[in-house]
């Protein structure tokens, strides 16, 4: 069953935003730079670690807008090296934008740079289930 058929079901009402989130997440997943890990930490925590060797903390940015976490790195200028000094240049020297779609209630609790890795810690408190009784009126 394709995603579009699934979301076109008459039994799923109001899931248009979820459909767009899944489409956006699929597009984001296709990006390959910089490499990253996502790991579970404890019962309700998640840590995203990005390889940001060569970036200083002031060149990195972590922002949350709505349900999207964006981690950016910007290079002000190329590292100073005499013209033609590189025999091989395999370390990327470009900026990046890496985005993640967050679930409702997920919060960023901090970010640290350590040994060339940027760690972004998130938490998601357990959702509380609310059951409401809806009164039925006679027409």
């Amino acid at each position: 069953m394709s995603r579009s058929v699934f979301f076109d079901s008459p039994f799923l009402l109001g899931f248009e935003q979820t459909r767009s989130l899944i489409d956006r997440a699929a597009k984001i997943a296709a990006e390959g730079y910089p490499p990253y890990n996502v790991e579970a930490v404890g019962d309700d925590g998640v840590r995203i670690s990005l390889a940001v060797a060569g970036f200083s903390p002031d060149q990195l940015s972590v922002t949350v807008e709505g349900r999207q976490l964006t981690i950016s790195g910007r290079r002000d200028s190329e590292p100073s090296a005499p013209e033609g000094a590189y025999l091989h240049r395999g370390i990327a020297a470009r900026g990046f934008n890496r985005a993640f779609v967050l679930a409702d209630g997920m919060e960023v609790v901090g970010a640290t740079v350590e040994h060339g890795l940027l760690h972004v810690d998130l938490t998601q408190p357990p959702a509380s289930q609310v059951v409401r009784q809806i009164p039925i009126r006679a027409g």
Side-chain angles (χ1 to χ4, degrees):
M1 183 184 301
S2 74
R3 187 171 39 215
S4 63
V5 172
F6 177 75
F7 280 103
D8 290 339
S9 169
F11 299 107
L12 296 172
L13 303 175
F15 282 89
E16 294 79 16
Q17 183 178 9
T18 303
R19 179 186 205 169
S20 70
L21 284 173
I22 291 171
D23 290 341
R24 189 167 59 184
K27 178 184 172 206
I28 290 169
E31 300 170 3
Y33 177 77
Y36 66 94
N37 293 333
V38 178
E39 59 187 295
V41 179
D43 291 334
D44 60 353
V46 173
R47 172 174 269 191
I48 301 170
S49 299
L50 284 87
V52 294
F55 285 89
S56 63
D58 61 320
Q59 293 175 316
L60 299 168
S61 169
V62 178
T63 58
V64 177
E65 183 177 345
R67 295 170 73 184
Q68 182 164 309
L69 166 66
T70 303
I71 303 169
S72 303
R74 61 170 168 54
R75 296 282 190 174
D76 295 329
S77 63
E78 290 292 313
S80 58
E83 186 66 32
Y86 290 105
L87 298 177
H88 172 75
R89 188 165 186 179
I91 298 174
R94 64 182 187 267
F96 67 88
N97 280 316
R98 169 71 68 183
F100 299 87
V101 179
L102 303 178
D104 282 335
M106 201 158 216
E107 294 183 22
V108 176
V109 293
T112 56
V113 176
E114 179 181 45
H115 305 294
L117 295 173
L118 172 64
H119 302 291
V120 179
D121 295 311
L122 301 102
T123 185
Q124 183 175 24
S128 60
Q129 289 195 339
V130 177
V131 178
R132 291 181 22 215
Q133 183 68 35
I134 308 300
I136 301 172
R137 296 180 292 150

